Each structure stands twice: as C-alpha cells, then as structure tokens.
C-alpha cells in the first residue's frame, strides 16, 4: 500500500449537494496524498492488511470553511456592536487595526485568532489582516505553522480613513506586490488582494490592484453592498458608475480572477446576474448583518440565481469565529416572515451546512466534501449522547455550541496538532 495512504472509519456525514446530508454509518474513507480516493462500507481487500484509524461511533464531517473574517479584529470581538457599520468602523475598528502595526501585539492577536479558528473547527478561511505588510507576513506564517488552509490579505486603503491607516497609493501597491512576489505562506496559505471596500479606495488604487490581480493571477476579496448608507456613499463617490459592483468590475476586481464579495445585501437583478456570469462568490455573514443592523442577505434569491455562496463569520462585526453559529444564524434569518414571503423557502440545515463546507470550499478547489478527489479536510465529532441518528448527532453538534466535542481535525489528510 502507498506510504501516504490514510484509512479512517466512522459515521461519515457530508453534503455532496445542498439538497440533503449523505450519511454513511460505519464506513471507511481512503485518503491518498491528502485527497479522498474512496468511500466504502466494506474495506476493499487490497487494504485488508492496512491499519485503520477507527473513530467508532463518532461523526466524520468536512472541516468548516469560513469565507470572510478579519484576523486584525479578533481582539475587538464583541465591541461596539450596537452601532451601524460606518460608525463602528470609525470608532472601534480603525483604532483597533492601527495597533496591528506593532509586531508583538500582532503576533499575540494572530496566535490567539488561529487557535480559536481551530478550536471552532474551521480548517480553511479567507482572512483579512490590516494594512501592515510586515504583520500580515506573520499572520501567514502563523496560519501555516498551525496547518490551517487560508487565503490571507493585506488590506489596501488610501482614502477617507484616519491618517494612521491611510496608505499612500504607490506605497500600498508596492508593498502588496512585494508580498505577492515573496509570499511567506506554505502551500495551503496563499495571498489574496484585499481592497477594503470602494469608499476607502481611490480609482488609482483600485486600478493598480486590478493590474496586480491580472499579472499575478491573484484572487480578490472585498465588501459589497453591506448597508444602504454605504451603497449611497459609493454612489456619491463614484458618480460615473450606475451601480456599486461596477466600481470593482471596471477595475478588474470582479471575477476577472477568483473573487469573494462579503455581504451582498443591496444588489439589483443586473448586479446579481453579473456575479453569476463572473463566478463572483457572495459571502453570507448573517451574524455581522444582524449585529450592525445592516439588513438581511437575500440568500435564497442569490442561490436561485446561481450565484456561488459561502458563509463567513466576519469577526469583529460578527461576534464569534464559530461556523456552527453562522450555520444556525443563516437558517434562522432565512425564516424571517418577510424574507420567506419575498425570497422563497427557508434554508434547510443541509443547505446551510453545504454552504459552510462544499459551497465555500469551492474557492479553495476540491474542498468541503468527501467525494473522490476532494481534499481530506475533516472534523471528528464525539456525539453528545448515544441513540441519536447520525443527522441528529450532527444537528446537536451544530446547535449545542460545544466545540470540545471536536476530537480530531485534519487538513489535506494531515492530522492537526
Ligand atoms: N466594510 C469595510 N470594512 C469593513 C469591516 O472591517 N467589516 C465589515 N463588516 N464591513 C466592512
Ligand atoms: Fe468584513
């Protein structure tokens, strides 16, 4: 047998599509070079002599994919969440992010952030640092060292933000390119261009980042149409464009390379059609949207329109790195009566789980499922009690908020810590 083969046994639950959970009790996953190569009820004879990691009655599920979160805001968790977005940014977030210039403070924050990601069962994440290239390097190194798969972005902003955080356009582009050219992360931690959002970016900065995206074939992440106030501000600042998304699109930051757009609450049908056409991923951050009173993402409408969707915690506007909480809140929010009336049926738990695993995982390649060819990113979960069906055990794991039930974590076939 191949030296890099891993055999695990347990109750395997995942969502190959959003419709329902696939449940395989007492089954085996064969993993070769970090990738799933088969799922079996009976182990094929070629593996008869191999040793199996037997998790007994425990669940084996895909690790969670957090498609939008801010490592630089981890230490402001829970602060100022009774304010609206623009006030919260000014009073809490910008002063906090200014502190990430300090390497010692950044190291402390990013170590704590990475440990909490893992504790919560997140195995892949798209992460914002701050504007500071040096401490973004240390964030990439810490995530690499912990074995988490991630896209990591140095934030770019050169307009309408406090002096301490306002970059000079040319320096912002130069430092970003230097990071791309000499990236500190390992094979599972990659760079992503991160214009914060249109209101704090000049046309020159957006254009320069679009060129870097093209030249380095680098992915992009930003915020789009999170609040009405922000959308009106973009309209006033960029009057040559009819709609918010056209600002990113015009500068090559809207699906010209793989692109994540957080929030996507206030979009026209035309904008939604463009997202679908460009394969731009909408990241649903339900807790953040509730905390800041931003509104509710029309998740059913976007799903029906064929826009790719993932879930994000959006810490610090979200108050927890728990992707189980993001799943719960996505299902809860989709049940608000007015949303049901205007946007169709509520989300099932399987659908929300799909968004938190395979849906978001697609941004990383074949991630978030246990079909052949998928990266073996997994959590092993001890059910709260015996006598539950596998889906009931998974429901309870998600809703009961006890991360200590996660007894093992794998990324690309490698068991973490
Ligand atoms: N829009 C621009 N920056 C931010 C941020 O840090 N958090 C959230 N939620 N929205 C933003
Ligand atoms: Fe955000």
């Amino acid at each position: 047998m191949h030296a890099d083969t891993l055999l695990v046994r347990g109750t395997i639950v995942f969502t190959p599509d959003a419709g329902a959970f696939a449940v395989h009790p007492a089954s085996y996953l064969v993993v070769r070079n970090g990738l799933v190569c088969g799922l079996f009820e009976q182990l094929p004879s070629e593996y008869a002599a191999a040793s199996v990691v037997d998790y007994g009655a425990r669940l084996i599920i895909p690790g969670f994919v957090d498609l939008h979160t801010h490592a630089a805001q981890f230490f402001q968790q829970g602060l100022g969440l009774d304010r609206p977005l623009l006030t919260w940014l000014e009073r809490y977030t910008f002063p906090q992010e200014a502190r990430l210039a300090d390497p010692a403070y950044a190291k402390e924050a990013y170590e704590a952030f990475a440990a909490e990601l893992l504790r919560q069962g997140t195995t892949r994440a798209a992460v914002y640092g701050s504007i500071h290239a040096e401490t973004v390097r240390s964030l990439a190194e810490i995530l690499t060292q912990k074995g988490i798969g991630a896209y990591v972005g140095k934030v770019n902003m050169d307009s309408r933000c406090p002096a301490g955080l306002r970059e000079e356009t040319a320096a912002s582009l130069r430092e970003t390119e230097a990071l791309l050219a000499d990236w500190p992360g390992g094979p599972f931690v990659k760079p992503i261009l991160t214009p914060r959002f249109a209101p704090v970016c000049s046309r020159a900065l957006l254009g320069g980042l679009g060129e870097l995206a093209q030249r380095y074939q680098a992915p992009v992440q930003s915020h789009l149409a999170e609040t009405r106030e922000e959308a009106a501000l973009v309209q006033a600042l960029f009057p040559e464009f009819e709609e918010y998304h056209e600002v990113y699109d015009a500068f090559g930051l809207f699906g010209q390379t793989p692109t994540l757009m957080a929030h996507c609450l206030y979009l026209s049908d035309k904008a939604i059609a463009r997202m679908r056409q460009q394969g731009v991923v909408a990241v649903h951050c339900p807790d953040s949207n509730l905390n800041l009173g931003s509104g509710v993402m029309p998740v059913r409408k976007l799903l029906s329109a064929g826009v790719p969707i993932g879930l994000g915690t959006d810490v610090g506007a979200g108050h927890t790195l728990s992707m189980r909480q993001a799943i719960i809140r996505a299902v809860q929010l989709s049940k608000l009566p007015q949303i049901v009336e205007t946007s169709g049926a509520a989300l099932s738990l399987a659908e929300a789980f799909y968004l938190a695993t395979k849906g978001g995982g697609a941004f990383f390649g074949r991630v978030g499922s246990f079909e052949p060819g998928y990266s073996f990113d997994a959590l092993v979960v001890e059910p709260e009690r015996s006598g539950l069906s596998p889906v009931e055990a998974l429901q309870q794991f998600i809703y009961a908020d006890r991360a200590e039930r996660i007894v093992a974590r794998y990324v690309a076939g490698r068991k973490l810590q």
Side-chain angles (χ1 to χ4, degrees):
M1 199 180 65
H2 197 280
D4 269 331
T5 300
L6 168 71
L7 299 177
V8 294
R9 181 179 174 279
T11 297
I12 296 158
V13 184
F14 60 112
T15 42
D17 58 64
F21 290 107
V23 179
H24 301 268
S27 296
Y28 298 84
L29 278 168
V30 178
V31 178
R32 195 170 292 150
N33 295 323
L35 304 181
V36 173
C37 60
L39 192 166
F40 305 97
E41 278 174 22
Q42 302 290 335
L43 201 57
S45 55
E46 60 184 297
Y47 301 110
S51 69
V52 173
V53 183
D54 191 348
Y55 286 112
R58 291 165 172 170
L59 301 178
I60 302 175
I61 62 172
F64 294 120
V65 179
D66 186 344
L67 220 45
H68 180 84
T69 196
H70 297 257
Q73 297 169 19
F74 186 58
F75 278 178
Q76 76 178 78
Q77 206 175 8
L79 303 187
L81 292 178
D82 50 358
R83 309 281 177 155
L85 172 68
L86 299 178
T87 314
W88 170 83
L89 278 175
E90 221 166 90
R91 300 234 183 118
Y92 294 90
T93 307
F94 289 153
Q96 171 64 28
E97 287 191 20
R99 300 188 63 181
L100 276 300
D102 173 0
Y105 183 80
K107 186 165 186 296
E108 189 190 343
Y110 292 155
E111 296 269 11
F113 168 80
E116 179 62 5
L117 267 189
L118 274 184
R119 194 182 77 81
Q120 293 287 6
T122 296
T123 48
R124 306 258 178 172
V127 181
Y128 286 55
S130 60
I131 61 163
H132 312 98
E134 263 331 289
T135 58
V136 167
R137 279 178 197 282
S138 89
L139 173 58
E141 285 163 0
I142 287 165
L143 291 167
T144 301
Q145 188 259 324
K146 293 268 190 197
I148 299 168
Y151 283 101
V152 177
K154 175 206 134 18
V155 169
N156 302 96
M157 47 187 187
D158 68 347
S159 311
R160 291 170 292 277
C161 48
L165 280 180
R166 191 162 56 239
E167 300 181 285
E168 197 257 304
T169 312
S172 179
L173 292 169
R174 195 169 56 239
E175 286 170 21
T176 302
E177 183 166 9
L179 265 179
L180 292 176
D182 180 25
W183 180 246
F188 298 107
V189 176
K190 296 174 186 165
I192 185 164
L193 295 172
T194 307
R196 181 178 207 111
F197 68 155
V200 295
C201 297
S202 67
R203 289 164 183 75
L205 181 60
L206 292 169
L209 291 172
E211 276 173 29
L212 287 179
Q214 230 11 268
R215 190 137 36 92
Y216 289 85
Q217 283 302 295
V220 173
Q221 62 181 352
S222 192
H223 297 87
L224 174 64
E226 180 176 358
T227 71
R228 288 201 177 87
E229 193 185 2
E230 167 206 356
L233 181 59
V234 171
Q235 205 83 81
L237 293 170
F238 296 90
E240 68 272 37
F241 298 105
E242 267 174 32
E243 299 197 27
Y244 190 165
H245 74 284
E246 291 172 0
V247 178
Y248 298 129
D249 207 356
F251 293 109
L253 299 167
F254 206 67
Q256 288 77 8
T257 58
T259 301
L260 300 173
M261 284 288 156
H263 306 298
C264 301
L265 270 62
Y266 302 101
L267 295 180
S268 68
D269 290 346
K270 182 177 154 200
I272 291 170
R274 182 65 179 157
M275 289 189 79
R276 178 204 147 99
Q277 182 185 35
Q278 291 289 91
V280 172
V281 182
V283 189
H284 184 20
C285 304
D287 258 326
S288 162
N289 295 157
L290 269 180
N291 285 333
L292 300 181
S294 306
V296 181
M297 185 213 237
V299 58
R300 177 65 66 198
K301 182 175 177 182
L302 290 168
L303 278 173
S304 303
V307 174
I309 302 185
L311 292 185
T313 60
D314 197 20
V315 161
H319 55 278
T320 168
L321 285 176
S322 165
M323 282 298 289
R324 289 164 299 137
Q325 171 66 20
I327 290 173
I328 295 166
R329 202 65 88 205
V331 172
Q332 288 177 329
L333 266 187
S334 73
K335 291 177 189 167
L336 289 183
Q338 63 271 35
I339 303 308
V340 174
E341 276 167 30
T342 57
S343 311
L347 291 179
S348 68
L349 187 64
E351 282 179 300
F353 186 84
Y354 173 91
L355 297 180
T357 55
K358 189 174 176 181
F363 198 73
F364 291 82
R366 291 169 80 77
V367 163
S369 184
F370 293 142
E371 293 152 83
Y374 272 74
S375 176
F376 185 63
D377 294 13
L379 305 178
V380 180
V381 176
E382 176 85 53
E384 293 276 334
R385 50 187 55 79
S386 58
L388 300 175
S389 75
V391 169
E392 287 172 340
L394 178 59
Q395 288 169 349
Q396 198 157 66
F397 165 62
I398 290 171
Y399 277 89
D401 191 25
R402 277 186 282 277
E404 65 275 16
R405 289 282 158 186
I406 303 171
V407 297
R409 298 160 174 83
Y410 292 84
V411 173
R414 191 159 80 89
K415 194 163 184 237
L416 302 185
Q417 91 240 311

